[in-house]
Amino acid sequence: MSKMKNTIDPAVNYLLPLAKKAGIETVWDRFAAMKPQCGFGELGVCCRICWKGPCRIDPFGNGPQRGICGADANTIVARNLVRMMAAGAAAHSDHGRHIALTLLEVGEGHAPAYRIKDEQKLRNIAEKLNLAPAGKDIRQVAKEVALASLDDYSRQKRSIPCNWAKVTLTAERVDKLVDLGVMPHNIDAVIAEIMARTHVGCDADAVNVLLGGLKGALADYTGMCLSTELSDVLFGTPEPVVTKANLGVLKEDAVNIAIHGHNPLLSEIICDVALKMNEEAKKAGAKEGINIVGICCTGNEVMMRRGIPLATNYLSQEMAIITGAVDAMVVDVQCIMPALTSVAECFHTEIITTMPENKITGATHVEFREDSAVDSAKKIVEVAIEAFKKRDKRKVNIPDYKQTAIAGFSAEAIVAALSKLDAKDPLKPLIDNIVNGNIQGIALFAGCNNTKATQDDNFITIAKELAKNNVLMLATGCGAGTFAKTGLMTQEATEAYAGESLKAVLTAIGKAAGLNGPLPLVLHMGSCVDNSRAVNVAVAIANKLGVDLDKLPLVASAPELMSEKAVAIGTWAVTLGIPTHIGIVPQIMGSSVVAEFLTEKAKDLLGGYFIVETNPEQAAAKLVAVIKERRKGLGI
Ligand code: BF8
Ligand code: SF4
């Protein structure tokens, strides 16, 4: 059997041999050393929930079929899975909480580094949340919106759904979720409930455990939704912006600061502060001043709002350091490889952690607090400039690879582009083209990279196939990073890969919006929390057509997923009625009950379901078939 390629990213393929020569270990070396990976873990049948264990179920039926307490494979797999969903929800919603608390501080006048950048959006949100904003001072509106969002973390009455889940979904879906008992009332309480019900000796009915997981996944949705919308209020609602992506965005003659992680609260301020500290960088010998680049979802956030170039996505974060040109990598939360500090030891690069609850041994910690954000940002830029002075020019190898990428397609930006075709009824041109078949359906690409797949390859293969089949594509997270790096977020990609009817529609919209050509082939919707933007678009279409989400020719795909957050996102997508492809075999196959529920029974219950397919060509074919089936269901 031929060995699977690590990546199709040319910048990474340029750097990997250099890393090898220098004896620097990367994620792919550690993956190779880890093989074969534990078969029990792969199937999800290993339980470490109590210290009588670890227990593992023999998948071949010869050895133990129950753990020491009597839990069977179904219970064990379901518990392991929903704990992942709880962790994903905790991660996203903690991010959301920080944003909501900062908005509250802004409303109360205590956060001088921040301001309300999109007042209209804040008022629209307040309307949506029934807070009657008309005539109120904008700071008062900020306070009320923040408090209504924080209510979603503290409400004790189980019968009252979370505000953000209730007001952003179709009425039919809300009713269905309430009827099923999976509508969250309080994000934190739902996460705690999952931890409680999966404690030793509690919920042992696999399907019941899974229903608890669905509620947790919807708590994840709620947290990311408020996070996205309130971030727009504070930092601006993204609009299309042309920028570059891949490691070639690093500059030899600049102080390169890579911002990595997820939360825009710090990265936005760093961008502001860096602009003012250019002269200091120049004095230190950096002719081009300071060059900020992004990695992972922080990268997506600042790319969408400021056109900051994206250096790379998840799996190649170490590679940024291996260029020898990154002076500081500033990290906040989530998806930051602990390996970064070991790689950085071979260079002059400073790894700077910023969050008290996210430190890495060997990193420099510069604590970030919202009330002293500018001071923290200044300190960070100073550390980067000092590090630049120590850069060893002989070790600099910036790969000459970068692609143009058009980012910034928030739901508002898409509606704005469409309104150039029909000002009174902006969604009409989109819906007309879906109904007449020029656009066959919509696919949302989300999720990570995973060493179990060739980096970026699944995304690209599936997208090219869907493009040929006239499917409109949206992307977030590291999937968006893939498309940005590979040039699929360009007008040229539309010309090259879109089917004729899709191309015609994208060209009509693009030209009307003054882009002098088509919209890009894949629309960059932002970071992982920004998956809620795709729901906004889908709900608007569903409401206009008078159907629920599970009737739309809409699919999702996370072909290289790995994180607990991605598990939570995939699960809420299914819970909202969206057929969702995953390209990595999930760690649930040790339970027929769990596998069957998620891939089949969910369809009857929710309309959405998981499609597991590791082969990208076949995955694309399955997604096209689902879209056709949905079209048939709608009679179009
Ligand atoms: O939230 S796609 S690897 S960076 S988890 Fe992480 Fe996955 Fe990337 Fe952003 Ni999302
Ligand atoms: Fe084993 Fe049960 Fe303890 Fe899990 S909870 S480790 S199956 S005894």
Side-chain angles (χ1 to χ4, degrees):
M1 215 171 91
S2 66
K3 194 176 161 284
M4 186 187 81
K5 275 197 274 179
N6 292 333
T7 180
I8 56 166
D9 182 333
V12 180
N13 279 322
Y14 167 82
L15 287 166
L16 273 177
L18 302 182
K20 195 169 179 156
K21 205 167 147 207
I24 302 167
E25 184 190 84
T26 70
V27 68
W28 287 284
D29 299 314
R30 294 187 295 275
F31 175 56
M34 198 57 68
K35 285 201 271 196
Q37 287 178 280
C38 170
F40 296 97
E42 292 268 22
L43 293 170
V45 292
C46 169
C47 184
R48 290 190 301 107
I49 272 175
C50 88
W51 284 356
K52 298 197 299 304
C55 299
R56 50 192 208 182
I57 304 303
D58 182 345
F60 302 110
N62 304 322
Q65 294 302 295
R66 285 182 182 271
I68 296 168
C69 68
D72 65 9
N74 297 322
T75 303
I76 291 174
V77 168
R79 285 195 308 211
N80 288 340
L81 181 69
V82 304
R83 281 192 167 204
M84 290 187 82
M85 294 172 196
H92 279 139
S93 59
D94 201 40
H95 170 169
R97 181 188 353 253
H98 278 145
I99 307 275
L101 284 169
T102 304
L103 184 65
L104 181 61
E105 297 270 294
V106 171
E108 290 174 341
H110 302 318
Y114 302 93
R115 64 189 180 87
I116 296 159
K117 251 196 196 153
D118 193 338
E119 291 197 9
Q120 192 51 50
K121 178 142 190 175
L122 179 59
R123 289 191 183 276
N124 294 348
I125 291 170
E127 277 298 342
K128 217 169 181 170
L129 292 170
N130 297 314
L131 297 170
K136 285 182 190 162
D137 176 68
I138 197 69
R139 291 218 333 232
Q140 178 63 23
V141 181
K143 232 169 107 174
E144 290 181 20
V145 166
L147 289 172
S149 305
L150 291 166
D151 272 351
D152 282 353
Y153 295 85
S154 60
R155 182 181 301 102
Q156 296 304 319
K157 244 197 162 149
R158 299 175 79 88
S159 56
I160 304 178
C162 281
N163 289 325
W164 279 93
K166 200 174 105 189
V167 304
T168 54
L169 300 175
T170 58
E172 201 181 318
R173 188 60 31 176
V174 171
D175 288 346
K176 190 188 246 319
L177 301 175
V178 169
D179 285 351
L180 278 170
V182 299
M183 190 65 159
H185 67 291
N186 169 332
I187 296 167
D188 288 345
V190 168
I191 294 166
E193 183 188 283
I194 290 181
M195 297 314 286
R197 74 195 296 163
T198 55
H199 183 273
V200 57
C202 294
D203 200 353
D205 180 302
V207 171
N208 205 43
V209 173
L210 289 174
L211 289 172
L214 301 188
K215 205 196 306 183
L218 289 169
D220 178 77
Y221 167 75
T222 308
M224 75 167 60
C225 198
L226 68 91
S227 177
T228 300
E229 300 297 299
L230 302 187
S231 292
D232 283 357
V233 169
L234 290 173
F235 306 119
T237 305
E239 289 171 13
V241 56
V242 184
T243 182
K244 298 274 179 199
N246 214 342
L247 289 166
V249 301
L250 291 166
K251 293 182 182 166
E252 206 153 342
D253 292 326
V255 173
N256 291 303
I257 303 179
I259 45 181
H260 175 15
H262 284 79
N263 195 328
L265 284 173
L266 171 61
S267 48
E268 281 287 330
I269 308 293
I270 291 185
C271 292
D272 285 341
V273 165
L275 282 175
K276 294 183 192 135
M277 291 178 71
N278 251 332
E279 282 315 308
E280 290 171 41
K282 285 184 183 163
K283 262 189 228 147
K287 278 190 229 126
E288 293 200 57
I290 294 171
N291 180 37
I292 307 248
V293 300
I295 296 180
C296 284
C297 284
T298 291
N300 285 319
E301 296 270 356
V302 291
M303 188 186 200
M304 292 270 284
R305 295 204 177 87
R306 294 175 174 257
I308 299 275
L310 183 80
T312 199
N313 53 355
Y314 174 76
L315 213 45
S316 35
Q317 55 187 272
E318 294 162 302
M319 294 299 149
I321 302 172
I322 293 170
T323 63
V326 171
D327 302 297
M329 189 180 281
V330 188
V331 303
D332 50 46
V333 294
Q334 302 161 20
C335 305
I336 300 145
M337 289 188 191
L340 291 179
T341 48
S342 323
V343 179
E345 273 173 18
C346 308
F347 299 90
H348 69 297
T349 312
E350 285 276 359
I351 306 294
I352 304 174
T353 53
T354 53
M355 304 302 277
E357 70 279 16
N358 283 254
K359 295 188 180 179
I360 305 175
T361 311
T364 302
H365 189 71
V366 180
E367 191 110 330
F368 166 72
R369 294 216 330 254
E370 284 83 347
D371 58 0
S372 54
V374 173
D375 292 340
S376 320
K378 267 191 197 149
K379 175 95 196 291
I380 286 167
V381 177
E382 279 163 11
V383 172
I385 295 174
E386 278 311 304
F388 169 81
K389 293 181 190 163
K390 295 184 215 140
R391 192 195 287 176
D392 181 346
K393 285 199 174 122
R394 291 162 307 174
K395 285 190 179 175
V396 173
N397 278 297
I398 301 175
D400 190 16
Y401 294 104
K402 62 180 169 197
Q403 292 279 353
T404 297
I406 308 179
F409 289 92
S410 56
E412 289 85 344
I414 293 176
V415 170
L418 288 167
S419 70
K420 298 287 175 1
L421 287 174
D422 189 334
K424 275 203 197 111
D425 194 356
L427 283 180
K428 191 169 180 294
L430 179 61
I431 290 177
D432 285 351
N433 279 297
I434 293 174
V435 170
N436 70 20
N438 285 340
I439 294 176
Q440 284 288 305
I442 303 177
L444 167 65
F445 286 96
C448 331
N449 302 132
N450 187 324
T451 31
K452 290 179 180 170
T454 300
Q455 184 191 18
D456 299 337
D457 191 32
N458 282 0
F459 282 107
I460 300 302
T461 310
I462 299 173
K464 284 186 180 165
E465 202 51 41
L466 294 189
K468 226 193 280 169
N469 282 280
N470 299 303
V471 175
L472 178 67
M473 293 179 286
L474 317 171
T476 58
C478 287
T482 295
F483 295 123
K485 286 191 306 178
T486 42
L488 291 200
M489 288 174 159
T490 57
Q491 298 182 310
E492 292 74 17
T494 306
E495 301 288 357
Y497 302 113
E500 285 312 311
S501 60
L502 175 67
K503 196 186 297 177
V505 179
L506 292 179
T507 304
I509 302 172
K511 282 195 171 157
L515 286 180
N516 209 11
L519 290 181
L521 186 69
V522 185
L523 303 182
H524 193 312
M525 280 205 129
S527 63
C528 265
V529 291
D530 293 340
N531 279 306
S532 62
R533 297 189 195 276
V535 177
N536 292 346
V537 174
V539 167
I541 295 174
N543 283 339
K544 191 128 183 48
L545 286 172
V547 298
D548 195 5
L549 295 167
D550 62 344
K551 302 289 179 296
L552 297 180
L554 167 68
V555 293
S557 174
E560 302 178 21
L561 87 169
M562 62 95 201
S563 74
E564 291 161 317
K565 290 183 294 164
V567 172
I569 294 171
T571 309
W572 66 244
V574 164
T575 311
L576 296 187
I578 305 168
T580 300
H581 161 250
I582 55 177
I584 301 291
V585 180
Q587 292 169 4
I588 63 163
M589 301 316 249
S591 162
S592 53
V593 170
V594 174
E596 204 179 291
F597 181 90
L598 294 173
T599 57
E600 290 171 33
K601 294 216 166 114
K603 189 173 184 178
D604 302 328
L605 202 62
L606 308 157
Y609 52 96
F610 279 106
I611 302 160
V612 180
E613 179 54 70
T614 55
N615 176 304
E617 282 91 11
Q618 284 176 26
K622 285 181 183 176
L623 291 170
V624 170
V626 170
I627 286 171
K628 292 219 163 101
E629 184 189 303
R630 286 276 174 102
R631 294 187 65 85
K632 218 165 143 198
L634 279 173
I636 57 176

